[in-house]
């Protein structure tokens, strides 16, 4: 009879089925990667997206607006269907990345818009090579600052979204539902 081992608790960014890699391998994977800068300039269509946000702001004075882009849909294990950003989100931001959320907060004369998005993978953690969003697998992702420059829109880490959503006034907030279960909740 074989002895059954208790299930190991996954480490940050891993699943229960991920192998327990030796520390020497993990250390090797976390170092020696060349960091490259992206030549980022404002997207030519960014002013059009800003005008659209301004028109939306004028239509809903004093209300907070939450517009998610949607999530990737997993087809099988680590294979995802091709992602298509929500039309409303793309129309207002020009961004086509999954999991992002546009939050427009009233500021008295209009709205302050913030794009919450997944930041670039840290090379100091295993996310760089273990996560399906890791840059080893999907390529160089823009930093929050680079994306902000491209879209002409302030950005924030997606990890801060729960705190931002919890701070909203329920009767003065409109949410585009059906795109992101985390936002819907």
């Amino acid at each position: 009879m074989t002895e059954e081992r208790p299930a190991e608790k996954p480490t940050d960014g891993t699943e229960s089925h991920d192998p327990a890699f030796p520390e020497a391998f993990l250390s090797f994977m976390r170092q020696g990667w060349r960091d490259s800068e992206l030549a980022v300039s404002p997207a030519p269509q960014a002013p059009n997206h800003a005008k659209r946000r301004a028109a939306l702001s004028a239509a809903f004075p004093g209300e907070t607006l939450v517009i998610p882009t949607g999530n990737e849909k997993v087809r099988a294990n680590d294979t995802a269907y091709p992602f298509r950003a929500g039309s409303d989100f793309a129309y207002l931001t020009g961004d086509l990345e999954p999991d992002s959320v546009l939050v427009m907060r009233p500021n008295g004369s209009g709205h302050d818009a913030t794009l919450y998005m997944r930041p670039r993978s840290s090379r100091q953690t295993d996310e760089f090579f273990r996560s399906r969003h890791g840059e080893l697998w999907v390529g160089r992702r823009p930093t929050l600052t680079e994306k902000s420059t491209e879209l002409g829109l302030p950005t924030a880490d997606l990890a801060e979204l729960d705190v931002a959503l919890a701070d909203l006034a329920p009767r003065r907030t409109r949410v585009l539902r059906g795109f992101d279960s985390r936002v819907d909740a």
Side-chain angles (χ1 to χ4, degrees):
M1 178 150 77
T2 60
E3 184 177 317
E4 194 163 320
R5 294 179 7 195
E8 294 180 27
K9 183 178 186 309
T11 59
D12 183 36
T14 64
E15 301 292 331
S16 61
H17 58 271
D18 286 341
F21 291 111
E23 189 56 42
F25 174 76
L26 296 174
S27 176
F28 171 78
M29 289 300 291
R30 292 179 191 137
Q31 61 187 336
W33 297 98
R34 182 178 62 130
D35 199 13
S36 60
E37 294 292 320
L38 287 180
V40 179
S41 59
Q45 60 274 46
N48 296 332
H49 299 293
K51 286 178 190 173
R52 294 170 186 160
R53 289 191 303 273
L56 183 66
S57 176
F60 296 98
E63 296 186 39
T64 301
L65 307 171
V66 180
I67 302 107
T69 186
N71 310 111
E72 284 184 307
K73 305 295 185 225
V74 176
R75 181 171 31 195
N77 296 332
D78 62 352
T79 305
Y81 287 103
F83 178 74
R84 181 184 181 282
S87 297
D88 301 308
F89 179 86
Y91 182 77
L92 294 168
T93 66
D95 188 39
L96 304 175
E97 296 295 317
D99 304 322
S100 300
V101 179
L102 175 66
V103 177
M104 296 176 62
R105 290 179 177 263
N107 66 7
S109 63
H111 286 78
D112 291 324
T114 303
L115 177 63
Y116 290 86
M117 59 176 282
R118 184 179 308 284
R120 187 170 179 213
S121 300
S122 167
R123 300 247 175 33
Q124 278 46 49
T125 67
D126 294 357
E127 180 190 19
F128 174 72
F129 63 94
R130 279 191 165 185
S131 167
R132 66 184 170 108
H133 302 289
E135 290 185 18
L136 182 67
W137 308 114
V138 298
R140 167 72 157 77
R141 290 197 329 246
T143 64
L144 296 176
T145 303
E146 291 165 345
K147 188 58 94 166
S148 180
T149 299
E150 176 188 346
L151 301 175
L153 183 63
T155 56
D157 189 331
L158 188 60
E160 299 169 11
L161 180 64
D162 289 338
V163 172
L165 293 177
D167 188 38
L168 301 179
R171 293 184 183 257
R172 302 296 298 163
T173 301
R174 292 184 186 255
V175 178
L176 184 61
R177 298 199 181 273
F179 287 89
D180 189 327
S181 58
R182 176 177 162 189
V183 172
D184 289 350

